[in-house]
């Protein structure tokens, strides 16, 4: 199967209110160019150096999303080129991004990652820690950041009921914030959930951004 065919079939499975982040990490520029020719404009990367290199050599109308675990010492490098950062898991990270965004005179959309999986290996705020942070209103002082919504990764399991329930819990929490502290904030509108194996479920449970890699580009060579 070609990238073009894979991408077209994914696009057919995604309703118009959901946007596709084509996760191109570990794949070469040629793979991205093929997807670009099919109209794909949002690409997701999880390593800073890789994103920066690809951004400098590929078309300028690509929207780059950073979807990996971001280290504070690398923020500076991606700030000029990134449109959205998906996996914010601490106030400190948000605060550091704000500083660099300020220096670069940019506003960056950020998603707070919530730990919804039953796996220790995954990152993210707990519901309670996130609730507390949002209620503190400290995020309001980060003038060069827009908290555009939430992101989560479900447990890696065959159990579809569990995966669905994890997505459901994230959607509920999103609604909670949307109707309280973010009521007047129209930019708080994104729910990033769903990957190759579970994006259909995620869409049924309210996802607005799906992050799909291997179904489009094939297996990654780490
Ligand atoms: C790699 C990655 C994806 C894409 O995973 P696939 O299973 O290849 O679709 C999505 N989200 C995050 C955070 C990732 O790191």
């Amino acid at each position: 199967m070609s990238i073009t065919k894979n991408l077209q079939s994914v696009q057919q499975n995604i309703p118009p209110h959901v946007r596709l982040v084509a996760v191109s990490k570990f794949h070469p520029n040629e793979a991205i160019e093929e997807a670009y020719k099919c109209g794909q404009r949002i690409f997701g990367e999880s390593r800073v150096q890789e994103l920066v290199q690809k951004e400098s050599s590929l078309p300028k109308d690509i929207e780059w999303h950073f979807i990996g675990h971001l280290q504070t010492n690398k923020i500076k490098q991606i700030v000029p080129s990134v449109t959205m950062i998906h996996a914010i898991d601490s106030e400190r990270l948000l605060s550091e991004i704000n500083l660099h965004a300020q220096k670069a005179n940019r506003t960056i959309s950020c998603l707070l990652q919530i730990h919804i999986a039953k796996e220790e290996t995954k990152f993210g705020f707990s519901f309670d820690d996130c609730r507390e942070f949002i209620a503190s209103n400290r995020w309001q002082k980060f003038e060069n950041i827009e908290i555009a919504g939430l992101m989560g990764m479900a447990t890696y399991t065959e159990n579809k009921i569990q995966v669905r329930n994890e997505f459901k819990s994230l959607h509920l929490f999103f609604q909670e914030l949307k109707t309280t502290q973010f009521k007047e904030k129209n930019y708080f509108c994104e729910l990033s959930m769903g990957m190759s194996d579970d994006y259909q479920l995620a869409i049924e449970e309210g996802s607005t951004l799906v992050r799909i890699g291997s179904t489009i580009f094939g297996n990654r060579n780490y």
Side-chain angles (χ1 to χ4, degrees), residues 6 178 189:
N6 294 341
K178 180 96 193 130
C189 62

Side-chain angles (χ1 to χ4, degrees), residues 66-92:
F66 191 79
I67 63 170
H69 185 66
L70 182 57
Q71 291 168 289
T72 47
N73 61 345
K74 296 194 174 158
I75 296 169
K76 192 177 175 188
Q77 294 178 62
I78 59 164
V79 154
S81 46
V82 80
T83 299
M84 187 177 277
I85 301 175
H86 282 236
I88 308 293
D89 60 1
S90 71
E91 181 175 351
R92 170 152 181 264

Side-chain angles (χ1 to χ4, degrees), residues 96-110:
E96 295 280 327
I97 295 169
N98 184 57
L99 275 179
H100 288 289
Q102 221 162 21
K103 283 185 203 151
N105 200 20
R106 294 201 65 199
T107 299
I108 298 188
S109 290
C110 290

Side-chain angles (χ1 to χ4, degrees), residues 23 25 46 67-68 86-87 113 151 153 194-197 211-215 218 220 222:
V23 177
K25 63 188 187 196
S46 62
I67 63 170
H86 282 236
Q113 180 173 10
M151 179 268 200
M153 290 169 88
M195 311 175 21
S196 286
D197 290 335
R211 311 175 309 269
I212 302 178
S214 40
T215 297
R220 291 177 284 272
Y222 292 109

Side-chain angles (χ1 to χ4, degrees), residues 33-216:
E33 279 160 355
E34 186 173 343
Y36 182 89
K37 285 203 189 93
C38 306
Q40 182 63 32
R41 291 295 180 272
I42 309 177
F43 292 90
E45 292 287 337
S46 62
R47 295 186 300 181
V48 167
Q49 203 52 43
E50 192 175 341
L51 185 152
V52 169
Q53 268 163 15
K54 286 174 172 173
E55 192 274 337
S56 67
S57 53
L58 286 161
K60 290 299 160 207
D61 62 340
I62 288 179
E63 219 182 82
W64 295 99
H65 288 213
F66 191 79
I67 63 170
H69 185 66
L70 182 57
Q71 291 168 289
T72 47
N73 61 345
K74 296 194 174 158
I75 296 169
K76 192 177 175 188
Q77 294 178 62
I78 59 164
V79 154
S81 46
V82 80
T83 299
M84 187 177 277
I85 301 175
H86 282 236
I88 308 293
D89 60 1
S90 71
E91 181 175 351
R92 170 152 181 264
L93 185 55
L94 209 53
S95 152
E96 295 280 327
I97 295 169
N98 184 57
L99 275 179
H100 288 289
Q102 221 162 21
K103 283 185 203 151
N105 200 20
R106 294 201 65 199
T107 299
I108 298 188
S109 290
C110 290
L111 306 178
L112 304 180
Q113 180 173 10
I114 309 295
H115 188 258
I116 55 171
K118 307 269 173 304
E119 288 163 326
E120 286 302 319
T121 50
K122 292 190 173 143
F123 294 100
F125 285 95
S126 68
F127 287 115
D128 280 344
D129 287 349
C130 187
R131 198 178 269 121
E132 195 184 309
F133 169 54
I134 297 302
S136 77
N137 276 330
R138 289 194 296 273
W139 53 277
Q140 305 254 26
K141 67 177 194 278
F142 300 139
E143 288 180 349
N144 291 65
I145 282 178
E146 273 182 1
I147 298 180
L150 304 177
M151 179 268 200
M153 290 169 88
T155 305
Y156 187 71
T157 170
E158 297 284 309
N159 185 342
K160 292 215 159 72
I161 297 172
Q162 182 181 349
V163 171
R164 185 185 288 283
N165 283 336
E166 290 172 2
F167 288 149
K168 241 190 235 306
S169 68
L170 187 57
H171 189 205
L172 262 177
F173 186 54
F174 174 80
Q175 298 286 25
E176 175 188 324
L177 298 183
K178 180 96 193 130
T179 51
T180 53
Q181 280 91 358
F182 287 98
K183 201 170 178 176
E184 252 96 75
K185 315 285 191 202
N186 288 332
Y187 55 76
F188 187 86
C189 62
E190 302 289 1
L191 193 49
S192 169
M193 56 185 198
M195 311 175 21
S196 286
D197 290 335
D198 55 20
Y199 74 92
Q200 318 254 23
L201 274 179
I203 291 170
E204 285 170 30
E205 296 305 331
S207 174
T208 67
L209 275 176
V210 288
R211 311 175 309 269
I212 302 178
S214 40
T215 297
I216 299 170

